[in-house]
Amino acid sequence: MLRLLLFALGALTFAGCSLNSPASSVYTILPNSAASLDTSAPLHAGTIKLAPTRTLPSLGSKALRYLRPHGESGEYLYSRWSDAPALLIERNFVASLQNRKLYAAILPPGSAAGATHLLESDLNAFEHRFREEGGSEGYIDMTYRLIDPKTKQTLSSKRFQIVAAAASGDARGGVDALSRATRELSRQSTEWLAHYLQEKP
């Protein structure tokens, strides 16, 4: 009887804690939509395949991460992304490539088809970063490498470090800043690829 009473009290306590816990917020980053339908021919008649992004283990989850001065890092308890950061970036980047019509086709990482170019990427940071002097920002550190699949040679590479100021020092401020940083990363990396294709088709 005593064991049953203790179990019932424990269940009620757990239920009370669950009811008092705030609901988690889930965020995503929507790509910029094309201003108008572009019916012109693509800049490059070939195709590009995206390799799976290599990233740090801490960035492999859907957690919304922050970094405070002196190296203190953590995750917002009741806020998370709809997908891992690498997938959010990839979705925005693919939309940007499609809007600019750089290639005749963009192949996903799992595609068995061959491609003219292979794009590798390393994601080293995707976080709400607090500055020692005050304020905070969304920060992304991404490196892209354009590879010739036949020769395995690197045709071009570029590291992008994108910073977008956050309006507030909470999870929502971090989400807004990282959303803007992600779209800016897509814009800059698309321009980098376009410049390469224009110079060396």
Side-chain angles (χ1 to χ4, degrees):
M1 178 66 73
L2 179 59
R3 181 179 299 177
L4 184 60
L5 179 60
L6 290 175
F7 176 80
L9 288 173
L12 287 173
T13 301
F14 177 78
C17 292
S18 298
L19 290 173
N20 292 330
S21 298
S24 294
S25 297
V26 180
Y27 299 97
T28 193
I29 302 176
L30 298 175
N32 285 328
S33 58
S36 60
L37 183 61
D38 186 357
T39 58
S40 62
L43 182 61
H44 192 283
T47 59
I48 186 170
K49 180 187 288 187
L50 306 183
T53 300
R54 290 180 288 195
T55 188
L56 301 175
S58 60
L59 297 176
S61 72
K62 300 177 183 179
L64 174 56
R65 299 191 59 81
Y66 62 82
L67 177 66
R68 298 191 181 277
H70 312 298
E72 177 193 348
S73 63
E75 302 174 358
Y76 286 105
L77 188 58
Y78 299 111
S79 298
R80 61 184 177 86
W81 297 110
S82 60
D83 290 294
L87 293 177
L88 297 174
I89 291 173
E90 179 185 302
R91 193 155 51 236
N92 275 263
F93 184 47
V94 168
S96 181
L97 291 178
Q98 290 172 335
N99 290 345
R100 281 293 305 273
K101 298 195 69 174
L102 294 191
Y103 288 88
I106 304 166
L107 305 178
S111 174
T116 310
H117 292 147
L118 175 68
L119 188 69
E120 296 180 344
S121 55
D122 298 321
L123 179 61
N124 298 309
F126 188 90
E127 60 207 9
H128 184 198
R129 186 171 67 174
F130 290 82
R131 298 186 295 266
E132 190 169 359
E133 65 274 17
S136 63
E137 60 202 12
Y139 175 69
I140 303 176
D141 184 347
M142 174 74 98
T143 298
Y144 284 111
R145 289 177 300 278
L146 189 65
I147 308 294
D148 184 329
K150 295 180 180 178
T151 65
K152 310 301 181 184
Q153 290 184 333
T154 300
L155 304 174
S156 182
S157 65
K158 188 173 178 62
R159 181 185 182 186
F160 297 90
Q161 293 178 287
I162 311 296
V163 175
S168 59
D170 54 8
R172 183 69 210 189
V175 166
D176 290 341
L178 283 166
S179 296
R180 285 185 281 110
T182 298
R183 296 187 188 104
E184 179 61 19
L185 171 64
S186 296
R187 187 192 70 79
Q188 290 190 22
S189 51
T190 300
E191 290 300 323
W192 161 68
L193 270 181
H195 178 74
Y196 173 82
L197 294 177
Q198 289 165 350
E199 295 295 320
K200 298 180 180 180

